[in-house]
């Protein structure tokens, strides 16, 4: 029997313990609670730490697309897979700023710049730092995801004004080797440590629906919750279908109730982290998304495309959030 997590319901979060000693069995017990009990606990934790009627909005831009030397088995941008995607050079600063301004006008509070690199080279970083400083000057929060970092490069990004760095663990330690061979999970954890030490907020999560089982999904949550400090932002992506990648051999979209259970479990284990319902919302009904928000998801990507794949249209998102009485930059 898993004890109910004790929380104060004053929105301050003062009463919620933030733990980094989660056992797999505890995560499994929470996940396996009767649905109403799991949702009650998740909502109690959510209300104690956040306004349950508000979600964050972020917008993505692929500033350097395709031709990536990594072999991530889910990704359209890996040079190891024949996905038909055309590789591009790093975008011009002016085009990035114009896109960020449009994202701001559309209601995004944060702008995330993504590059298909194993790691940024110093001359690339000069240009990305300029972009970050310029996007921040628009009054947006900045995020970047550029692959692996060294302490020095992380510090340069921090000095340019970077608020968040996205670097995902992607899946469980056991399943990881079935998906990626060119970069280890420890490499990723080392980059997260560099990001933390540089004073940048961490955005770290993973992907569901690549053929992993429920135990892997929970092991991923345990991995995230037992990092030395919890990521401020936790993106939970459903695998967005891409032709020509190895994950097609194993992919299976999670059962909707299993998705809601996982988000509720994430909310309880990572009580102060913003949990983003990330890629894959275009596969979900309005009702399923509403359940995900009730379970504690409180961030979405807005805009018709993510990096190379689809996202719901802004008008559909605005309509959904309006009907739910959820405030955001959009609604
Ligand atoms: N290249 C950089 C890296 O991997 O560190 C940054 C960009 S990469 C696209 C960022 C994350 O997006 C990946 O770690 C993965 O979790 C997610 N992602 C990539 N392709 C995806 C897909 N088809 N569906 C869902 N999530 C995906
Ligand atoms: C994250 O966890 N999800 C975003 C962001 N971090 C960079 C990326 C989703 C990518 C979906 C696949 C694509 O559009 O290529
Ligand atoms: Fe490259 Fe990132 Fe895609 Fe992996 S997820 S192949 S590192 S762009």
């Amino acid at each position: 029997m898993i004890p109910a997590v004790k929380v104060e319901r004053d929105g301050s979060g003062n009463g919620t313990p933030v733990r980094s000693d989660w056992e797999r069995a505890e995560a499994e017990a929470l996940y396996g609670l009767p649905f109403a009990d799991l949702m009650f606990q998740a909502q109690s934790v959510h209300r104690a730490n956040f306004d349950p009627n508000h979600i964050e909005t972020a917008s993505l831009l692929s500033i350097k697309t395709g031709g990536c030397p990594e072999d991530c088995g889910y990704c359209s941008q890996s040079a190891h897979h024949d996905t038909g995607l055309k590789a591009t050079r790093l975008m011009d600063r002016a085009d990035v700023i114009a896109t960020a301004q449009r994202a701001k006008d559309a209601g995004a509070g944060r702008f995330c710049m993504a590059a298909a690199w194993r790691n940024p080279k110093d001359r690339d970083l000069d240009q990305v730092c300029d972009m970050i400083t310029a996007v921040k000057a628009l009054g947006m929060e900045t995020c970047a995801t550029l692959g692996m970092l060294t302490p020095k490069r992380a510090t340069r990004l921090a000095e340019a004004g970077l608020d968040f760095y996205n670097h995902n663990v992607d899946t469980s330690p056991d399943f990881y080797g079935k998906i990626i061979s060119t970069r280890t999970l420890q490499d990723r954890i080392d980059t997260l440590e560099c990001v933390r030490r540089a004073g940048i907020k961490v955005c770290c999560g993973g992907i569901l629906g690549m053929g992993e089982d429920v135990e892997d999904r929970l092991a991923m949550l345990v991995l995230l919750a037992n990092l030395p400090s919890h990521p401020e932002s936790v993106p939970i992506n459903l695998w967005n279908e891409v032709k020509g990648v190895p994950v097609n051999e194993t992919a299976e979209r999670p059962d909707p109730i299993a998705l809601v259970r996982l988000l509720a479990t994430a909310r309880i284990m990572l009580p102060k982290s913003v949990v983003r319902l990330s890629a894959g919302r275009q596969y979900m009904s309005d009702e399923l998304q509403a359940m995900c928000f009730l379970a504690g998801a409180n961030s979405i990507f807005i805009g018709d495309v993510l990096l190379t794949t689809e996202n719901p249209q802004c008008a559909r998102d605005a309509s959904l959030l309006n009907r739910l009485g959820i405030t955001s930059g959009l609604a």
Side-chain angles (χ1 to χ4, degrees):
M1 179 67 187
I2 194 86
V5 175
K6 284 199 180 53
V7 289
E8 285 167 8
R9 286 178 183 77
D10 62 1
S12 70
N14 291 339
T16 312
V18 175
R19 295 175 43 199
S20 294
D21 58 353
W22 285 92
E23 303 276 351
R24 182 96 68 95
E26 289 178 286
E28 285 172 8
L30 277 174
Y31 181 90
L33 281 171
F35 190 69
D37 294 345
L38 173 60
M39 289 296 271
F40 180 72
Q41 272 208 55
Q43 291 190 340
S44 302
V45 171
H46 192 52
R47 283 175 174 268
N49 292 283
F50 295 99
D51 172 356
N53 302 313
H54 180 76
I55 67 168
E56 273 187 9
T57 46
S59 183
L60 277 169
L61 177 65
S62 182
I63 58 172
K64 195 272 165 216
T65 304
C68 183
E70 302 291 310
D71 70 351
C72 309
Y74 49 77
C75 186
S76 61
Q77 305 196 64
S78 167
H80 295 256
H81 322 312
D82 190 7
T83 66
L85 188 78
K86 197 171 161 286
T88 66
R89 294 160 62 92
L90 183 59
M91 280 176 71
D92 284 340
R93 180 175 173 274
D95 294 337
V96 173
I97 297 163
T99 310
Q101 182 64 55
R102 282 196 296 276
K104 185 183 180 196
D105 296 344
R110 188 177 309 159
F111 191 66
C112 179
M113 290 157 270
W117 289 321
R118 175 171 166 80
N119 56 261
K121 297 188 183 70
D122 285 329
R123 67 169 184 281
D124 297 325
L125 207 63
D126 290 340
Q127 295 185 59
V128 176
C129 284
D130 276 355
M131 292 172 191
I132 290 165
T133 306
V135 171
K136 195 148 168 90
L138 298 177
M140 301 182 87
E141 286 185 318
T142 54
C143 178
T145 178
L146 315 169
M148 294 190 285
L149 295 181
T150 57
K152 221 169 162 178
R153 287 176 178 150
T155 301
R156 289 193 54 206
L157 289 167
E159 285 167 0
L162 189 67
D163 296 305
F164 289 84
Y165 195 82
N166 168 246
H167 201 63
N168 290 342
V169 294
D170 277 351
T171 189
S172 71
D174 286 348
F175 197 66
Y176 187 95
K178 297 195 172 71
I179 303 293
I180 302 136
S181 78
T182 51
R183 171 192 284 174
T184 66
L185 185 53
Q186 189 57 48
D187 288 333
R188 291 178 188 250
I189 290 169
D190 292 347
T191 286
L192 293 172
E193 181 62 22
C194 292
V195 171
R196 268 275 168 251
R197 281 176 190 264
I200 300 168
K201 287 182 260 210
V202 169
C203 173
C204 181
I207 310 178
L208 312 180
M210 300 191 291
E212 75 291 339
D213 53 30
V214 168
E215 286 71 25
D216 288 306
R217 295 174 194 159
L218 291 169
M220 178 177 87
L221 292 188
V222 169
L223 173 65
L224 292 168
N226 290 349
L227 289 171
S229 24
H230 287 185
E232 281 80 1
S233 186
V234 177
I236 301 293
N237 299 276
L238 289 195
W239 180 58
N240 254 4
E241 234 172 272
V242 174
K243 289 203 179 78
V245 297
V247 155
N248 279 294
E249 305 300 316
T250 54
E252 195 179 348
R253 201 159 299 146
D255 160 59
I257 302 295
L259 170 64
V260 178
R261 279 187 177 277
L262 195 86
L263 289 164
T265 307
R267 168 47 64 230
I268 296 166
M269 293 174 67
L270 296 149
K272 294 181 193 291
S273 304
V274 170
V275 175
R276 185 177 308 115
L277 189 58
S278 299
R281 286 192 304 110
Q282 80 279 13
Y283 303 130
M284 299 178 203
S285 66
D286 286 356
E287 296 87 332
L288 175 55
Q289 292 186 61
M291 288 279 270
C292 293
F293 300 139
L294 283 176
N298 56 352
S299 177
I300 57 171
F301 283 123
I302 61 164
D304 306 345
V305 281
L306 292 170
L307 299 174
T308 68
T309 64
E310 264 181 69
N311 197 43
Q313 305 276 314
C314 283
R316 179 183 163 194
D317 284 341
S319 156
L320 173 60
L321 298 181
N322 271 328
R323 281 177 289 144
L324 297 174
I326 293 179
T327 60
S328 72
L330 257 185

